[in-house]
Amino acid sequence: MTRVEAPQRHVWKQLTEALGLAGADVGDEITAPRTPEPLSFAVERVEQEERQRYVLPRLDQPAPGAALVGPTASARPPTRA
């Protein structure tokens, strides 16, 4: 997780562009362009509204699974485990 001070809309645009998710739609098969290891997935859900934005991908590479990708707003600093 990375913390940035910017409007959610701006963070969402940067995040989706970096992962190859800009303009993604449900059912799209995507291979992320710039990741430390191969990352490919199918888009299961896309949500964009004023209060939340996220993509739910079903991962194929590096291993089967699911993820929730999106920005979040927080009034307190992140904690480290």
Side-chain angles (χ1 to χ4, degrees):
M1 181 182 298
T2 301
R3 183 176 172 89
V4 296
E5 296 295 330
Q8 188 185 68
R9 183 178 282 171
H10 177 74
V11 174
W12 175 251
K13 184 176 180 178
Q14 288 184 319
L15 179 64
T16 56
E17 287 175 355
L19 293 175
L21 290 167
D25 201 359
V26 173
D28 288 353
E29 298 281 336
I30 296 175
T31 299
R34 296 177 292 194
T35 57
E37 57 185 280
L39 181 62
S40 64
F41 49 88
V43 177
E44 292 290 322
R45 182 176 173 100
V46 177
E47 182 72 38
Q48 283 192 181
E49 58 182 62
E50 184 64 29
R51 297 187 63 179
Q52 65 180 357
R53 292 173 166 79
Y54 66 86
V55 173
L56 179 65
R58 179 180 32 84
L59 303 172
D60 299 317
Q61 291 285 332
L68 184 62
V69 179
T72 183
S74 177
R76 59 180 189 214
T79 57
R80 305 259 184 226

